[in-house]
Amino acid sequence: MAKKKIKLNVVLLKNNLNIAAPETFIENYLQDNEINFNKGNINAILYKKLGSYSEPKWVENLKNKIVGDFTNDFPSNQSSGVTLFIEVQDRIFAINFGTLGRFNINKNTIEKTFGIYTANKLLNNDLTATIKSAHSRVNETNPVNKQRQYGADISNNQLFLSMEDNEALKELAVISYSSEDFSRMIGKYSSLNVQFLFNNIEIPCFQYLQPKLSRLLDLYKSVSPDDVKKLFKGIYPLSSMEAEPLNTQLPNKLILSTDTFFLFEPEIDYDLSLVAAIKIEDELYDELSLSDYLGKNPQPSFENLTEDKIFFLNEDGDIIKEWSILECLYGEIEENNTNYILSGGEWFEVSKDKYERISVAIDEITNTSFGIPDHIKDDIKKDIAQGIIQNKNSNQKINKENIFNIHLSNYIHGYLFDEAAKQINLYEDRFEVCDVLHQNTFFHVKYNYGASALSHLFNQGYVSAKSYAEFTSKYAEAVNVHIPDITNHLSDHPDNVTVHYLILNDKSQDRLTFFSKMALEDKIRTLQAMRFNVKMTWIRDMY
């Protein structure tokens, strides 16, 4: 008889928590929010979270921004959610339901590697298991999220072969054909989406759930370093127990080695143009600055780093994004001859050869001889200031990059290609040649907004150069249309061509996360294999 499939979102909490002390793992715990139900002999808590009643956001926007105030009888909305906390062996699992369920969990108590490690272990143990899709933090157009979807299930060996050298796995969907407990699981950082299998007589399934969770926990506990290294190519997320010594040392390292750390945006799933201000605790800032935070908190504890908040606000003062200081903290350290990276609140170990190879590659292309004279920078600043004045009554953002590119092209007597009309079409693909072209050097320029902007920059240079290498005559013909002086035309036989990345940085540090470095290093190797020169220059004191 076919089994019932029940999909649950499962989270494992860290070690040494006691279900009899719910205030240690439930956010803002109130006993009145516990729901009574038949637990049998199982130690469990069913905990609810109710949001406040509020007018739908779209109604508020319609009134305030479109038509003005009006009388309406739209019903108020109330979000809600429930979390089932259940004790299994020596650990606690949390299973979330509803929109607000996940907010019941104190996120500092979540075992972040549980989801991805458990799915990985099932794949290694079960010879019948196949992979349906994989997401990774890699070197394509976006270093934070790349997805591979497979039209048919593939074996683990095929996935290992298809993984690129610079992969850092974020999500893995695995299908099992032999397990009696689960047919499918999607492992992520923090959570594991599991399709559990139950017999018809086991529904409702609560009394039968604990043994299946126990088998999941056994899978996670059995993960070995070899299991991790098989799927994580040279960069391995640490479990909470492995990360504990590094977290203990972190406050002291922040004080003694400030230059090795900085604050950055750990997520990019929002519209940066909507960000009007950055709030750290009670102060407003123009940028994320670790020195500003340490100026107010010169000796933060690890608890301070997890509890102190950073808010991205829109022009109305509403919160677009909220993170802890720890989640925004990035750093690279060496401990006991091992390289570690702190990113998004998590520690990663990086293999020595990978760390050195990528660091050397970035150092070799970093060019400090190219610079912009101060008088040109002053002119750029004046034009930006004038644009701000002209647009002060509108919400239109100033295109600082375009202003810089115009001055750059004039200064080096190059050709400005930072215009939509100068994009070229090759075999139905439309793309930007570069921002400024000068004597076989393709300048690609980006203001250092964050990881997504830099990834776009690196990919832009790669796509253009690759097209030049593959479709040389067609590419040169399309570009030369926009170059009036025939003596400066691109050649059908390119030689000594350079892709030069310029990063405009008004921040206190020149900062690339290791994941951005991975993205760039992959492009460097590919471009150099196609016989292009590659350079990168930071341009400071621009705005």
Side-chain angles (χ1 to χ4, degrees), residues 186-417:
I186 302 175
K188 307 177 181 181
Y189 282 95
S190 303
S191 67
L192 184 69
N193 291 329
V194 186
Q195 200 168 61
F196 287 96
L197 300 176
F198 294 94
N199 296 317
N200 288 332
I201 61 171
E202 296 175 330
I203 305 299
C205 69
F206 174 72
Q207 296 295 333
Y208 304 92
L209 182 59
Q210 196 176 41
K212 296 182 185 297
L213 291 173
S214 183
R215 283 187 273 279
L216 277 183
L217 185 56
D218 288 339
L219 264 180
Y220 176 66
K221 287 181 174 180
S222 68
V223 172
S224 69
D226 287 341
D227 292 323
V228 176
K229 291 181 179 181
K230 184 182 290 188
L231 206 55
F232 291 83
K233 296 293 186 97
I235 181 165
Y236 323 115
L238 303 186
S239 68
S240 60
M241 294 181 67
E242 293 171 320
E244 188 172 349
L246 296 172
N247 286 333
T248 301
Q249 300 173 45
L250 180 59
N252 193 47
K253 286 190 176 294
L254 275 184
I255 297 167
L256 297 178
S257 307
T258 305
D259 291 344
T260 64
F261 293 90
F262 59 79
L263 296 178
F264 82 117
E265 306 83 354
E267 299 171 303
I268 56 172
D269 57 341
Y270 62 94
D271 187 347
L272 183 68
S273 66
L274 298 178
V275 178
I278 297 172
K279 186 178 180 182
I280 303 179
E281 294 298 280
D282 298 324
E283 297 287 337
L284 295 179
Y285 300 93
D286 294 327
E287 69 161 309
L288 285 175
S289 169
L290 181 58
S291 60
D292 287 336
Y293 173 73
L294 292 177
K296 291 193 65 178
N297 303 274
Q299 293 184 311
S301 65
F302 184 74
E303 288 70 26
N304 292 142
L305 299 177
T306 61
E307 294 171 1
D308 292 348
K309 301 296 184 184
I310 290 174
F311 305 95
F312 276 25
L313 309 177
N314 64 16
E315 60 181 10
D316 297 324
D318 297 327
I319 296 174
I320 299 173
K321 275 293 180 180
E322 172 186 341
W323 303 289
S324 68
I325 294 291
L326 182 64
E327 288 173 310
C328 293
L329 194 57
Y330 179 85
E332 299 176 16
I333 65 171
E334 184 175 339
E335 195 74 20
N336 298 323
N337 203 34
T338 302
N339 294 104
Y340 297 100
I341 291 167
L342 176 64
S343 180
E346 300 302 314
W347 286 100
F348 298 82
E349 178 184 338
V350 185
S351 64
K352 202 72 177 173
D353 59 341
K354 186 186 191 78
Y355 188 86
E356 290 176 353
R357 188 194 78 229
I358 290 176
S359 298
V360 167
I362 303 303
D363 289 343
E364 286 180 345
I365 69 161
T366 301
N367 181 281
T368 57
S369 62
F370 181 86
I372 305 297
D374 288 342
H375 73 276
I376 301 295
K377 290 183 180 181
D378 290 340
D379 290 342
I380 293 171
K381 292 174 184 177
K382 289 176 183 177
D383 283 356
I384 291 173
Q386 185 177 354
I388 291 173
I389 293 172
Q390 291 174 346
N391 291 306
K392 66 179 180 180
N393 295 323
S394 71
N395 292 324
Q396 187 175 349
K397 289 272 185 177
I398 303 300
N399 191 338
K400 298 178 181 178
E401 288 172 20
N402 182 255
I403 293 173
F404 172 86
N405 291 332
I406 291 171
H407 283 273
L408 173 65
S409 62
N410 291 335
Y411 167 61
I412 63 175
H413 305 293
Y415 295 95
L416 181 68
F417 275 81

Side-chain angles (χ1 to χ4, degrees), residues 65-84:
K65 298 182 179 180
I66 309 299
V67 301
D69 197 14
F70 59 86
T71 303
N72 72 84
D73 56 358
F74 293 108
S76 296
N77 290 338
Q78 184 185 36
S79 299
S80 60
V82 166
T83 303
L84 173 63

